[in-house]
Amino acid sequence: MIRTLRISHPAFFGIKSAETLRFYTEVLGMDLVLRQPNLDDATMEHLFFHVGEDNFIAYFLPYDEEAAAKKYERMKPGYGVMNHLAIDVDAASFEEALAHLQAEGVHVKGPTDRGYERSIYFRDPNGVRIELLMWLTPPPSELPQADIIKRAQALREARGAGFVEDRDVQEAFSELQREPRRSLKRATVWRSAPTAPRTSSAWRCGFVSPVSPMMSSCS
């Protein structure tokens, strides 16, 4: 039986090396933890940005931007590719990010409320669409987000609603916190496994539907 631990990293290809490096380190404030030649293509380098809690974004970027711009075209809409990259932040960071992105001249769509989350959307220098999201009601640190969302989904279905809303999440908190043995056991499992950290109220990456980052919605 395969046991997946977490998403280690999405890997992107871009042609704007200097802009990409500045965007992720200075605009989004991530640490560059790895920078080395691409093992599969000597014309490119391999960068690893730390999103938070041992989650990363990988980027393959050319040494010669001008040559790469002549060689490669931007992706076109279609299926089988990523729609957007979603990263968790807390409420304070959400407001700070919105102001900072706008001050940097980054076009931002939102904020938009999506049931139990609030999101903003923008693109990185290579056109990858990024979502920063916060929970309307922050999840308790002792509860795994997977448990919360799964319980909220069941509550949403039970009341016949079309979408999970903040009320479902709050009720899920209450129900799960009334199950101390189960919650504590799950929390212990997470804390004892350094290869699979939790990502509550912190930067993390996640994926949604497999369609193109060039799609016009949320852009």
Side-chain angles (χ1 to χ4, degrees):
M1 183 69 175
I2 296 174
R3 177 176 176 264
T4 57
L5 299 177
R6 68 182 187 279
I7 294 174
S8 170
H9 65 273
F12 298 113
F13 169 74
I15 61 170
K16 299 181 179 180
S17 301
E19 288 183 48
T20 301
L21 180 59
R22 178 184 180 277
F23 184 83
Y24 283 94
T25 58
E26 297 183 23
V27 178
L28 295 184
M30 299 182 189
D31 287 333
L32 178 65
V33 296
L34 177 73
R35 187 175 190 177
Q36 65 182 24
N38 182 359
L39 295 173
D40 301 311
D41 185 347
T43 68
M44 307 184 75
E45 61 178 344
H46 180 190
L47 277 60
F48 242 38
F49 299 100
H50 182 219
V51 182
E53 299 196 17
D54 289 340
N55 291 274
F56 305 91
I57 293 172
Y59 241 111
F60 300 113
L61 296 165
Y63 292 109
D64 188 334
E65 294 186 31
E66 185 176 349
K70 295 176 180 178
K71 182 178 180 181
Y72 299 105
E73 295 182 0
R74 189 173 175 181
M75 289 183 61
K76 294 180 171 58
Y79 61 86
V81 293
M82 191 177 70
N83 181 281
H84 68 276
L85 174 71
I87 301 174
D88 275 355
V89 294
D90 60 24
S93 292
F94 186 89
E95 296 300 329
E96 182 179 350
L98 179 57
H100 185 56
L101 287 164
Q102 291 172 335
E104 287 281 346
V106 177
H107 175 71
V108 178
K109 182 175 181 179
T112 302
D113 284 357
R114 298 187 173 280
Y116 63 97
E117 297 173 333
R118 180 167 295 150
S119 302
I120 56 174
Y121 298 85
F122 53 94
R123 293 185 184 275
D124 83 356
N126 298 291
V128 174
R129 187 171 61 182
I130 298 175
E131 174 190 7
L132 295 187
L133 67 90
M134 55 167 278
W135 289 49
L136 296 179
T137 302
S141 60
E142 73 274 12
L143 296 179
Q145 289 189 13
D147 286 1
I148 297 169
I149 296 171
K150 186 174 182 179
R151 182 64 61 89
Q153 165 71 6
L155 292 166
R156 187 273 297 176
E157 290 178 335
R159 66 185 180 85
F163 305 94
V164 172
E165 298 177 5
D166 191 47
R167 59 183 285 188
D168 302 306
V169 168
Q170 293 187 35
E171 188 172 349
F173 294 166
S174 297
E175 290 189 4
L176 291 169
Q177 288 174 323
R178 289 197 295 269
E179 302 172 4
R181 292 182 181 178
R182 178 174 180 276
S183 297
L184 288 174
K185 181 178 180 181
R186 286 297 298 274
T188 301
V189 169
W190 278 93
R191 289 173 184 145
S192 65
T195 57
R198 290 190 63 251
T199 55
S200 173
S201 295
W203 298 73
R204 66 129 170 97
C205 54
F207 299 91
V208 192
S209 57
V211 294
S212 170
M214 294 290 292
M215 294 288 285
S216 60
S217 61
C218 302
S219 59

